[in-house]
Amino acid sequence: MSWLILVVAGLLEVVWAIGLKYTHGFSRLMPSVITAVAMIASVALLSWAMKTLPVGTAYAVWTGIGAVGAAITGIILLGESASAARIASLVLIVAGIIGLKLSTH
């Protein structure tokens, strides 16, 4: 169950990371509210997952999901670069996340 909670926390990190772009420096109300709620929920769920998961693993997986998700969302929604080097780097992050998951007892 902790892993599922951690994945949801990571997906919420993607929401708030991308949401920051749409807040325009927190000058737009609705994007700012959505971003703030996603931030709070993401950290709360991360904290909950850390009750049973190792801190280093949980935090690394959380940030990894957020980083990969934000980069992919930026490519799809914002027209950011999808160069081979960038994609290869994202694959390496995903491999690291999988490695952490498989090495946690």
Side-chain angles (χ1 to χ4, degrees), residues 47-84:
S47 176
W48 189 4
M50 283 184 175
K51 288 180 182 179
T52 57
L53 296 175
V55 172
T57 300
Y59 185 75
V61 169
W62 179 68
T63 57
I65 292 169
V68 170
I72 290 171
T73 304
I75 290 168
I76 293 169
L77 293 181
L78 305 173
E80 295 177 358
S81 169
S83 68

Side-chain angles (χ1 to χ4, degrees), residues 68 71-72 75 81-96:
V68 170
I72 290 171
I75 290 168
S81 169
S83 68
R86 191 166 188 205
I87 300 300
S89 298
L90 292 173
V91 168
L92 290 172
I93 294 170
V94 170

Side-chain angles (χ1 to χ4, degrees), residues 2 4-17 33-50 58-59 61-67:
S2 293
L4 179 60
I5 291 167
L6 184 61
V7 168
V8 173
L11 294 173
L12 285 169
E13 185 183 5
V14 176
V15 171
W16 69 255
V33 169
I34 292 167
T35 299
V37 169
M39 284 177 171
I40 292 166
S42 180
V43 172
L45 290 174
L46 171 63
S47 176
W48 189 4
M50 283 184 175
Y59 185 75
V61 169
W62 179 68
T63 57
I65 292 169

